[in-house]
Amino acid sequence: MKKENPACQRPGAVTGEEARRLLMEGNGRFVEGRLAPKDLGGARREELASKGQKPFAVIVTCSDSRVPPEILFDQALGDLFVIRVAGNVVDQVALGSVEYAVEHLNTPLVVVMGHEKCGAVQAAVDGGEVPGSIGAIVSKIRPSVQKAAAAGAAGGELYEKTADENIKSAIEELKKSPVIRHFMEEGRLMLIGAKYHLSSGRVVFYH
Ligand SMILES: [Zn+2]
């Protein structure tokens, strides 16, 4: 019997828990270097174009080139709805993107994924002047620096604790949305944090 390829199975209507499991399994394949073959052919593109998208997870993460969600979760076309901005901060535009996926695409899982050694987090911890519009990102992360410092983090630890606080802060930001709260209260949406570890390739979920 032909073995089903997990990355080619269309999850269809999955729950948040099932969506998280698909991500964890995909990340496991990535870590082990056993990526599943993916259907990236014309027929699949045509199917997605004509039938529309049904991504099973929304990923809010950093623009860092070492953190591409489709690769590190071993997913294919049409699987993930991704919002990437340096420092994985949530502003109104990012929030609108998440709301769109939740309300119009019925995506059952939202993951806010930070990562180790994030440059945006480092800039916020280091303080000082930043050029151009980078300040808009850094100012979103500064409250997380204060929270991490107030919890006793110092030195090198302050960077990673700030990254963790910054993930929580983005989740709180998302929870302010009436659309997201409504879907969560109805049990149709799971909202969780995660952190990507650069060297091991492992994503650790905070839920
Ligand atoms: Zn980053």
Side-chain angles (χ1 to χ4, degrees), residues 18-38:
E18 286 162 348
R20 184 177 63 158
R21 183 178 54 76
L22 288 169
L23 292 180
M24 288 176 81
E25 287 174 358
N27 181 240
R29 295 192 298 275
F30 172 71
V31 168
E32 290 164 17
R34 293 187 298 104
L35 298 183
K38 288 162 197 69

mmCIF file of all heavy atoms in Angstrom, residues 18-38:
data_model
loop_
_atom_site.group_PDB
_atom_site.id
_atom_site.type_symbol
_atom_site.label_atom_id
_atom_site.label_comp_id
_atom_site.label_asym_id
_atom_site.label_seq_id
_atom_site.Cartn_x
_atom_site.Cartn_y
_atom_site.Cartn_z
ATOM 1 N N GLU A 18 -5.390 19.818 16.220
ATOM 2 C CA GLU A 18 -4.876 19.040 15.083
ATOM 3 C C GLU A 18 -3.899 19.875 14.257
ATOM 4 O O GLU A 18 -2.890 19.363 13.766
ATOM 5 C CB GLU A 18 -6.040 18.556 14.210
ATOM 6 C CG GLU A 18 -6.825 17.421 14.855
ATOM 7 C CD GLU A 18 -8.207 17.220 14.226
ATOM 8 O OE1 GLU A 18 -8.659 18.094 13.448
ATOM 9 O OE2 GLU A 18 -8.818 16.199 14.535
ATOM 10 N N ALA A 19 -4.217 21.153 14.122
ATOM 11 C CA ALA A 19 -3.334 22.044 13.365
ATOM 12 C C ALA A 19 -1.980 22.142 14.052
ATOM 13 O O ALA A 19 -0.929 22.092 13.404
ATOM 14 C CB ALA A 19 -3.971 23.425 13.242
ATOM 15 N N ARG A 20 -1.993 22.238 15.385
ATOM 16 C CA ARG A 20 -0.733 22.308 16.128
ATOM 17 C C ARG A 20 0.064 21.017 15.931
ATOM 18 O O ARG A 20 1.282 21.034 15.763
ATOM 19 C CB ARG A 20 -0.983 22.551 17.617
ATOM 20 C CG ARG A 20 0.313 22.718 18.394
ATOM 21 C CD ARG A 20 0.068 23.038 19.828
ATOM 22 N NE ARG A 20 -0.627 21.957 20.509
ATOM 23 C CZ ARG A 20 -0.594 21.781 21.828
ATOM 24 N NH1 ARG A 20 0.062 22.634 22.580
ATOM 25 N NH2 ARG A 20 -1.242 20.798 22.394
ATOM 26 N N ARG A 21 -0.643 19.883 15.939
ATOM 27 C CA ARG A 21 0.035 18.600 15.744
ATOM 28 C C ARG A 21 0.695 18.531 14.353
ATOM 29 O O ARG A 21 1.832 18.082 14.217
ATOM 30 C CB ARG A 21 -0.972 17.448 15.907
ATOM 31 C CG ARG A 21 -0.342 16.064 15.780
ATOM 32 C CD ARG A 21 -1.360 14.959 16.005
ATOM 33 N NE ARG A 21 -2.534 15.067 15.139
ATOM 34 C CZ ARG A 21 -2.555 14.744 13.847
ATOM 35 N NH1 ARG A 21 -1.469 14.279 13.276
ATOM 36 N NH2 ARG A 21 -3.656 14.868 13.139
ATOM 37 N N LEU A 22 -0.002 19.032 13.332
ATOM 38 C CA LEU A 22 0.574 19.046 11.976
ATOM 39 C C LEU A 22 1.861 19.882 11.942
ATOM 40 O O LEU A 22 2.842 19.510 11.292
ATOM 41 C CB LEU A 22 -0.439 19.608 10.970
ATOM 42 C CG LEU A 22 -1.635 18.713 10.631
ATOM 43 C CD1 LEU A 22 -2.674 19.500 9.834
ATOM 44 C CD2 LEU A 22 -1.186 17.489 9.833
ATOM 45 N N LEU A 23 1.834 21.014 12.667
ATOM 46 C CA LEU A 23 3.031 21.864 12.707
ATOM 47 C C LEU A 23 4.173 21.157 13.442
ATOM 48 O O LEU A 23 5.326 21.194 13.002
ATOM 49 C CB LEU A 23 2.721 23.193 13.406
ATOM 50 C CG LEU A 23 1.781 24.152 12.683
ATOM 51 C CD1 LEU A 23 1.594 25.420 13.513
ATOM 52 C CD2 LEU A 23 2.304 24.517 11.296
ATOM 53 N N MET A 24 3.844 20.520 14.571
ATOM 54 C CA MET A 24 4.883 19.831 15.354
ATOM 55 C C MET A 24 5.489 18.680 14.553
ATOM 56 O O MET A 24 6.701 18.483 14.553
ATOM 57 C CB MET A 24 4.294 19.305 16.668
ATOM 58 C CG MET A 24 3.990 20.415 17.650
ATOM 59 S SD MET A 24 3.199 19.809 19.162
ATOM 60 C CE MET A 24 4.621 19.232 20.054
ATOM 61 N N GLU A 25 4.631 17.937 13.854
ATOM 62 C CA GLU A 25 5.138 16.821 13.040
ATOM 63 C C GLU A 25 6.034 17.338 11.911
ATOM 64 O O GLU A 25 7.086 16.778 11.624
ATOM 65 C CB GLU A 25 3.966 16.027 12.452
ATOM 66 C CG GLU A 25 3.252 15.189 13.495
ATOM 67 C CD GLU A 25 1.996 14.500 12.947
ATOM 68 O OE1 GLU A 25 1.658 14.704 11.761
ATOM 69 O OE2 GLU A 25 1.367 13.776 13.723
ATOM 70 N N GLY A 26 5.604 18.427 11.283
ATOM 71 C CA GLY A 26 6.388 19.021 10.190
ATOM 72 C C GLY A 26 7.727 19.517 10.697
ATOM 73 O O GLY A 26 8.769 19.313 10.063
ATOM 74 N N ASN A 27 7.721 20.150 11.886
ATOM 75 C CA ASN A 27 8.973 20.631 12.459
ATOM 76 C C ASN A 27 9.881 19.452 12.817
ATOM 77 O O ASN A 27 11.105 19.540 12.653
ATOM 78 C CB ASN A 27 8.691 21.514 13.683
ATOM 79 C CG ASN A 27 9.961 22.072 14.309
ATOM 80 O OD1 ASN A 27 10.267 21.827 15.464
ATOM 81 N ND2 ASN A 27 10.714 22.825 13.537
ATOM 82 N N GLY A 28 9.282 18.359 13.260
ATOM 83 C CA GLY A 28 10.066 17.158 13.549
ATOM 84 C C GLY A 28 10.781 16.655 12.298
ATOM 85 O O GLY A 28 11.961 16.288 12.338
ATOM 86 N N ARG A 29 10.069 16.651 11.167
ATOM 87 C CA ARG A 29 10.699 16.217 9.901
ATOM 88 C C ARG A 29 11.849 17.147 9.522
ATOM 89 O O ARG A 29 12.907 16.715 9.071
ATOM 90 C CB ARG A 29 9.654 16.173 8.760
ATOM 91 C CG ARG A 29 8.558 15.139 8.937
ATOM 92 C CD ARG A 29 7.753 14.943 7.658
ATOM 93 N NE ARG A 29 7.040 16.134 7.203
ATOM 94 C CZ ARG A 29 5.827 16.494 7.634
ATOM 95 N NH1 ARG A 29 5.193 15.761 8.526
ATOM 96 N NH2 ARG A 29 5.252 17.574 7.160
ATOM 97 N N PHE A 30 11.627 18.460 9.729
ATOM 98 C CA PHE A 30 12.658 19.456 9.404
ATOM 99 C C PHE A 30 13.911 19.231 10.262
ATOM 100 O O PHE A 30 15.032 19.238 9.752
ATOM 101 C CB PHE A 30 12.081 20.866 9.641
ATOM 102 C CG PHE A 30 13.080 21.977 9.538
ATOM 103 C CD1 PHE A 30 13.613 22.334 8.310
ATOM 104 C CD2 PHE A 30 13.489 22.677 10.669
ATOM 105 C CE1 PHE A 30 14.546 23.365 8.211
ATOM 106 C CE2 PHE A 30 14.416 23.708 10.580
ATOM 107 C CZ PHE A 30 14.942 24.048 9.349
ATOM 108 N N VAL A 31 13.699 19.032 11.564
ATOM 109 C CA VAL A 31 14.822 18.838 12.483
ATOM 110 C C VAL A 31 15.623 17.592 12.103
ATOM 111 O O VAL A 31 16.850 17.590 12.149
ATOM 112 C CB VAL A 31 14.305 18.741 13.948
ATOM 113 C CG1 VAL A 31 15.385 18.249 14.898
ATOM 114 C CG2 VAL A 31 13.773 20.096 14.415
ATOM 115 N N GLU A 32 14.899 16.542 11.704
ATOM 116 C CA GLU A 32 15.565 15.287 11.363
ATOM 117 C C GLU A 32 16.115 15.278 9.931
ATOM 118 O O GLU A 32 16.750 14.317 9.509
ATOM 119 C CB GLU A 32 14.582 14.119 11.534
ATOM 120 C CG GLU A 32 14.252 13.839 12.995
ATOM 121 C CD GLU A 32 13.016 12.971 13.130
ATOM 122 O OE1 GLU A 32 12.610 12.330 12.132
ATOM 123 O OE2 GLU A 32 12.452 12.938 14.243
ATOM 124 N N GLY A 33 15.822 16.358 9.177
ATOM 125 C CA GLY A 33 16.312 16.418 7.798
ATOM 126 C C GLY A 33 15.608 15.439 6.870
ATOM 127 O O GLY A 33 16.203 14.966 5.899
ATOM 128 N N ARG A 34 14.359 15.094 7.207
ATOM 129 C CA ARG A 34 13.589 14.163 6.366
ATOM 130 C C ARG A 34 12.364 14.888 5.807
ATOM 131 O O ARG A 34 11.231 14.536 6.078
ATOM 132 C CB ARG A 34 13.124 12.954 7.194
ATOM 133 C CG ARG A 34 14.244 12.058 7.665
ATOM 134 C CD ARG A 34 13.717 10.798 8.336
ATOM 135 N NE ARG A 34 12.939 11.101 9.531
ATOM 136 C CZ ARG A 34 11.610 11.054 9.599
ATOM 137 N NH1 ARG A 34 10.892 10.731 8.539
ATOM 138 N NH2 ARG A 34 11.005 11.331 10.728
ATOM 139 N N LEU A 35 12.568 15.944 5.044
ATOM 140 C CA LEU A 35 11.454 16.737 4.521
ATOM 141 C C LEU A 35 10.580 15.884 3.605
ATOM 142 O O LEU A 35 11.082 15.093 2.813
ATOM 143 C CB LEU A 35 11.977 17.945 3.738
ATOM 144 C CG LEU A 35 12.820 18.956 4.525
ATOM 145 C CD1 LEU A 35 13.192 20.128 3.636
ATOM 146 C CD2 LEU A 35 12.092 19.445 5.769
ATOM 147 N N ALA A 36 9.264 16.061 3.740
ATOM 148 C CA ALA A 36 8.336 15.314 2.885
ATOM 149 C C ALA A 36 8.335 15.925 1.484
ATOM 150 O O ALA A 36 8.463 17.138 1.332
ATOM 151 C CB ALA A 36 6.934 15.389 3.486
ATOM 152 N N PRO A 37 8.193 15.090 0.450
ATOM 153 C CA PRO A 37 8.050 15.645 -0.908
ATOM 154 C C PRO A 37 6.766 16.479 -0.980
ATOM 155 O O PRO A 37 5.781 16.152 -0.319
ATOM 156 C CB PRO A 37 7.925 14.405 -1.792
ATOM 157 C CG PRO A 37 8.209 13.237 -0.933
ATOM 158 C CD PRO A 37 8.060 13.640 0.487
ATOM 159 N N LYS A 38 6.822 17.554 -1.742
ATOM 160 C CA LYS A 38 5.656 18.438 -1.829
ATOM 161 C C LYS A 38 5.170 18.569 -3.256
ATOM 162 O O LYS A 38 5.975 18.601 -4.174
ATOM 163 C CB LYS A 38 6.003 19.818 -1.267
ATOM 164 C CG LYS A 38 6.129 19.797 0.222
ATOM 165 C CD LYS A 38 6.879 20.986 0.752
ATOM 166 C CE LYS A 38 7.331 20.704 2.155
ATOM 167 N NZ LYS A 38 8.387 19.657 2.206
#
